[in-house]
Amino acid sequence: MSDAYYLHLTDRLRDLLETPEAFGDDRLPSERMLAERFRTTRVTLRQALAQLEGEGRIHRSNRRGWFVSPPPLDYDPTRDAGFNDYVQAQGRRPRTEVLLTDIRPHRPAAEALGLPIDHPFHHIRRRRFVDDRAVLSESLWVVPERAPRLLEGDFTASLWGQLRDRWGVTLAHRSLRLYSEALRAQEAEELGVAAGTAGLSLRRAIFDAHHRPVEYDEEHWLHNALCITVDLENTA
Amino acid sequence: MSDAYYLHLTDRLRDLLETPEAFGDDRLPSERMLAERFRTTRVTLRQALAQLEGEGRIHRSNRRGWFVSPPPLDYDPTRDAGFNDYVQAQGRRPRTEVLLTDIRPHRPAAEALGLPIDHPFHHIRRRRFVDDRAVLSESLWVVPERAPRLLEGDFTASLWGQLRDRWGVTLAHRSLRLYSEALRAQEAEELGVAAGTAGLSLRRAIFDAHHRPVEYDEEHWLHNALCITVDLENTA
């Protein structure tokens, strides 16, 4: 069966990808060479490569062939770690670039936080890197009443850490929405990919211990850069 | 500013989409007509449409223009509801088609459940619909020791319900992994979209109260059909 063979081939390729010395760099041999090496047809080989692409193990680069993908970053939204902490905990190198800070209303933030739609926010736009690859473009909308003069701070570090340390704000209630999206032109450009590339959108509305609105943020992650992981125990 | 104007236009279009009587069916007027109606250029209009597409409010259909997207299904993975239950709870209509049942090993299932890679599983492949739109293609791999003669059952209903009712299995520990993916040919065909379309992959490994492996599943959701929602309370 061709079906069974392509799955077998996928397993063999997957093993190869897990052997660091298999390739000189992160680029796979050409499809022609791979087909010869595994004594298979280009059609079957492409089925196996597509399977591995779907699993996030490899990615295509326009006209330059197939590349081994860096492992996605694991992120558990039920825990309270900031970007710098969970990137470093996985042995990777975080970096943050502040693209813009200003004060402006933002309707989705106002709606999510239960504020009038013309309510102004402290707005911070950042780009974040893992091992020098831009993986995340985000906008943060902070309620000025919770953190006056916020924009005088340094936002390459943790915003949540500053809210806690400078204004004593606790992030007591968080509401998350997460979905797959096609990246818009602006985020795609910031992440160095084509508009329409698959991305993962994460939106959070955060309230303090007195149920007062604190912050709303919109994160746009590069396809395959992030894997959401959650461990759940049922006591029932 | 063109930037500010396109955001203003996006808001006006968003309002229009929320008015059910705005369109006779779910198809938007042509871009030419929309540009005239809002007295704007095609370039600015397309920026606004792309913004709404990224938000999952509208989608493009090849050569047939723009359509209003049905609202995504909300799913909270920290709660223990099955597909039929949470679809119905949102006033939508669930339906399930069983595509295949067989017995076979599956390496990712074996690895996730800590079993030998040649361990056979009861395998069920299903396609699930919301309001007659195929939104989910999934494979379930059940450990035969937990549920002998499982495959004699009816899998258009809840698998977890059957595990509980027929074999007294409790789903005590669940480990979830969720990421954005490009849909492979097989899942894309089952969902009626082009291969490479953005999708959301959800994988679960489930253990019983005695930490014995029960089930592994791989879900492939259509882009924009699903929105993961989680509400978290910090007691710290």
Side-chain angles (χ1 to χ4, degrees):
Chain A
M1 275 288 294
S2 144
D3 178 50
Y5 184 70
Y6 109 77
L7 290 173
H8 172 69
L9 178 61
T10 307
D11 284 344
R12 290 181 64 194
L13 283 165
R14 204 187 281 114
D15 285 336
L16 198 67
L17 295 174
E18 280 164 8
T19 317
E21 58 278 17
F23 311 108
D25 53 11
D26 60 354
R27 185 175 185 165
L28 268 68
S30 70
E31 291 188 3
R32 186 182 52 76
M33 287 176 66
L34 284 171
E36 274 173 22
R37 174 161 172 183
F38 290 101
R39 297 171 191 273
T40 187
T41 63
R42 290 284 277 273
V43 171
T44 303
L45 175 72
R46 281 183 184 150
Q47 277 187 293
L49 291 170
Q51 167 73 29
L52 293 168
E53 184 186 28
E55 294 175 12
R57 305 287 187 113
I58 58 174
H59 61 275
R60 232 180 306 223
S61 182
N62 273 345
R63 300 175 184 282
R64 298 199 304 132
W66 289 95
F67 291 80
V68 182
S69 297
L73 204 61
D74 284 340
Y75 171 60
D76 180 348
T78 66
R79 294 180 191 185
D80 216 354
F83 178 82
N84 292 317
D85 293 330
Y86 63 78
V87 172
Q88 278 174 335
Q90 290 170 57
R92 316 277 295 264
R93 197 160 27 83
R95 185 161 67 84
T96 300
E97 238 178 58
V98 177
L99 302 175
L100 174 76
T101 63
D102 60 10
I103 296 179
R104 59 163 95 168
H106 184 62
R107 179 167 157 162
E111 288 177 351
L113 296 172
L115 292 167
I117 61 165
D118 58 352
H119 195 90
F121 293 97
H122 292 323
H123 171 227
I124 302 158
R125 190 163 181 90
R126 311 194 279 200
R127 170 160 55 181
R128 307 192 102 168
F129 299 77
V130 173
D131 299 336
D132 289 323
R133 176 190 183 206
V135 295
L136 165 62
S137 150
E138 64 173 4
S139 268
L140 308 153
W141 313 87
V142 183
V143 178
E145 292 81 349
R146 294 295 94 70
R149 298 160 56 105
L150 172 73
L151 296 185
E152 295 167 15
D154 164 25
F155 300 107
T156 58
S158 164
L159 172 71
W160 296 351
Q162 292 180 54
L163 290 175
R164 188 184 56 227
D165 299 342
R166 290 175 60 193
W167 291 277
V169 172
T170 50
L171 310 178
H173 178 87
R174 284 170 296 158
S175 173
L176 272 69
R177 293 179 68 77
L178 188 143
Y179 51 87
S180 169
E181 64 176 353
L183 290 171
R184 292 189 307 137
Q186 185 182 3
E187 285 83 25
E189 194 187 320
E190 288 169 1
L191 298 174
V193 295
T197 297
L200 201 59
S201 170
L202 184 58
R203 296 171 188 224
R204 282 188 205 80
I206 302 182
F207 298 81
D208 70 10
H210 309 288
H211 293 280
R212 295 179 305 188
V214 175
E215 192 236 328
Y216 175 76
D217 58 78
E218 297 181 356
E219 297 184 356
H220 301 276
W221 288 85
L222 199 61
H223 171 230
N224 284 335
L226 185 70
C227 180
I228 303 283
T229 60
V230 185
D231 280 314
L232 299 166
E233 295 290 343
N234 278 7
T235 45
Chain B
M1 278 286 294
S2 145
D3 177 51
Y5 183 68
Y6 110 76
L7 289 172
H8 171 71
L9 178 61
T10 306
D11 284 344
R12 289 181 63 194
L13 283 166
R14 203 188 280 111
D15 284 336
L16 198 67
L17 295 175
E18 280 164 9
T19 317
E21 60 277 17
F23 312 107
D25 53 13
D26 59 355
R27 185 175 186 164
L28 269 70
S30 70
E31 291 188 4
R32 188 182 52 74
M33 286 176 66
L34 284 172
E36 275 174 20
R37 174 161 172 184
F38 290 101
R39 297 169 192 274
T40 186
T41 63
R42 290 284 276 273
V43 172
T44 303
L45 175 70
R46 281 184 184 150
Q47 276 187 295
L49 291 171
Q51 166 73 30
L52 293 168
E53 184 185 29
E55 294 174 13
R57 305 287 187 115
I58 59 175
H59 61 275
R60 233 181 304 224
S61 182
N62 274 344
R63 300 176 183 281
R64 298 200 303 133
W66 290 94
F67 291 80
V68 182
S69 297
L73 204 60
D74 284 340
Y75 171 60
D76 181 348
T78 65
R79 293 181 191 183
D80 216 357
F83 178 83
N84 292 317
D85 294 331
Y86 63 78
V87 172
Q88 279 175 334
Q90 292 170 56
R92 316 278 292 266
R93 196 158 29 81
R95 184 160 68 82
T96 300
E97 237 178 59
V98 177
L99 301 176
L100 174 76
T101 63
D102 60 9
I103 297 179
R104 60 163 95 171
H106 185 60
R107 179 168 158 161
E111 287 177 350
L113 296 172
L115 292 168
I117 61 165
D118 58 351
H119 196 91
F121 293 97
H122 292 323
H123 171 226
I124 302 157
R125 192 165 180 90
R126 311 194 279 200
R127 170 161 53 184
R128 307 193 102 167
F129 299 77
V130 172
D131 299 336
D132 289 322
R133 176 190 183 208
V135 296
L136 165 62
S137 151
E138 64 174 3
S139 267
L140 309 154
W141 314 87
V142 183
V143 178
E145 291 82 348
R146 295 295 95 68
R149 297 160 56 105
L150 172 72
L151 296 185
E152 295 168 15
D154 165 24
F155 301 107
T156 58
S158 165
L159 171 72
W160 297 350
Q162 291 181 54
L163 290 175
R164 188 184 56 228
D165 298 343
R166 291 175 61 195
W167 291 277
V169 172
T170 49
L171 310 177
H173 179 86
R174 285 170 295 157
S175 174
L176 273 68
R177 293 178 68 78
L178 188 144
Y179 50 88
S180 169
E181 65 176 352
L183 291 170
R184 293 189 308 137
Q186 186 182 0
E187 286 81 26
E189 193 187 320
E190 287 168 2
L191 298 173
V193 295
T197 298
L200 200 59
S201 171
L202 183 58
R203 294 169 191 226
R204 283 189 204 79
I206 302 183
F207 298 80
D208 71 8
H210 308 288
H211 294 280
R212 293 178 307 188
V214 175
E215 192 235 327
Y216 175 76
D217 57 78
E218 298 181 357
E219 298 184 355
H220 301 276
W221 287 85
L222 200 61
H223 171 230
N224 285 335
L226 185 70
C227 181
I228 304 283
T229 60
V230 184
D231 280 316
L232 299 166
E233 295 291 344
N234 278 8
T235 46

